[in-house]
Amino acid sequence: QLQASGGGLVQAGVSLRLSCAASGRTFDVSTMAWFRQAPGKEREFVATISWSGARTYYADSVKGRFTISRDNAKNTVYLQMNNLKPEDTALYYCAAGGGYFSANYSSTSKNYVYWGQGTLVTVSS
């Protein structure tokens, strides 16, 4: 089970940190990712991190502004979002997959089995 939190209504330019708490014994061997879905749009990839945290990959739209990290001792993955823009407004979902990691594979939503309920981020201009 995945529980995402940390969303809110903020102004452009500020920061937010999303958290995703996972239950279950396989978190520390799971690739984790964040996806988002804006109103009227399809779900899109945001960021992913390997089970060890050594490898990460980002969508071009968030590269340099967002940072994904994880704390396996706390079974939690984070998404630090800086310099938020109105186009970042979306429902943000965390997802857990298997142990395999590659940029191409791990940025594809169909490769994730477990999904959180989403946390809403709204950025006003």
Side-chain angles (χ1 to χ4, degrees), residues 93-111:
Y93 297 92
C94 60
Y100 178 74
F101 181 92
S102 77
N104 208 30
Y105 184 89
S106 304
S107 60
T108 304
S109 61
K110 67 179 182 180
N111 294 323

Side-chain angles (χ1 to χ4, degrees), residues 2 6 8 13 16-17 19 25 30 55 60 65 68-69 75 81 84 95 123:
L2 301 175
L16 272 180
R17 189 177 79 157
S19 298
R25 295 178 294 173
S30 298
R55 299 178 66 185
D60 287 343
R65 299 188 298 123
I68 189 170
S69 62
N75 277 13
M81 306 186 295
L84 282 162
V123 185

